[in-house]
Amino acid sequence: MERTLSLIKPDGVSRNLVGEVIRFFEKAGLRVVALKMLRLTKEEAAEFYSVHRDKPFFDSLTDYMSSGPIVALVLEGENAISRCREIMGATNPAEAAEGTIRRAFGLDKEKNTVHGSDSPESAAREIAFFFSERELLAGKR
Ligand code: IDP
Ligand code: MG
């Protein structure tokens, strides 16, 4: 069993796609074990995406990620990290495979509807960024 962190980004929440996005993960067999809605400050978005701080899109990305509410979820399942990324599709929705979330809903390379951790190290850091031990325990069964 593995856990990963996913976000439904502001374009997904504002277009009323929370349930649709979660449905993609659930129908693929991933289980939601923690979930919350929140709004990041620009500073929090910069901390979350700090690996991208030197990229040309960083300022726009952190503006966008702090522009409205997001939903954070912890997904659990076998190979959850790579499976979540497969279900999301490529970063650029125009290049995302048929049947993926970004192909179905992504607007452009920035407003691509979902985030998913890219490694066990990122997943551990990103889960701890959004959820307390107590919130993670609540989803245990
Ligand atoms: P990922 O979300 O597929 O892992 P990353 O390369 O880690 O992609 O980039 C993080 C986020 O930054 C992307 O999901 C997207 O929102 C944004 N982003 C990435 N590349 C670009 C770009 O070239 N232009 C604008 N935004 C980008
Ligand atoms: Mg990434």
Side-chain angles (χ1 to χ4, degrees), residues 15-67:
R15 287 181 295 146
N16 215 17
L17 295 171
V18 172
E20 296 281 342
V21 170
I22 292 174
R23 188 75 197 116
F24 268 78
F25 292 129
E26 288 187 336
K27 79 183 180 211
L30 295 179
R31 183 177 286 280
V32 178
V33 296
L35 175 152
K36 67 170 74 167
M37 180 176 282
L38 72 154
R39 182 164 175 169
L40 294 174
T41 64
K42 169 97 171 162
E43 292 69 31
E44 288 167 338
E47 191 188 339
F48 181 74
Y49 276 122
S50 59
V51 300
H52 294 307
R53 82 167 70 78
D54 297 326
K55 304 272 172 60
F57 57 80
F58 182 71
D59 192 51
S60 173
L61 173 63
T62 53
D63 273 344
Y64 160 60
M65 288 300 292
S66 57
S67 68

Side-chain angles (χ1 to χ4, degrees), residues 79-131:
N79 303 311
I81 296 168
S82 62
R83 290 197 33 238
C84 169
R85 296 208 40 113
E86 278 168 29
I87 297 160
M88 285 168 34
T91 306
N92 185 350
E95 292 163 11
E98 191 67 54
T100 63
I101 294 169
R102 284 167 166 172
R103 173 69 168 259
F105 304 127
L107 297 175
D108 57 42
K109 200 170 179 185
E110 178 179 82
K111 296 173 180 58
N112 58 7
T113 315
V114 276
H115 167 84
S117 306
D118 65 4
S119 67
E121 296 70 34
S122 306
R125 172 187 172 269
E126 293 176 357
I127 289 169
F129 187 94
F130 284 100
F131 294 95

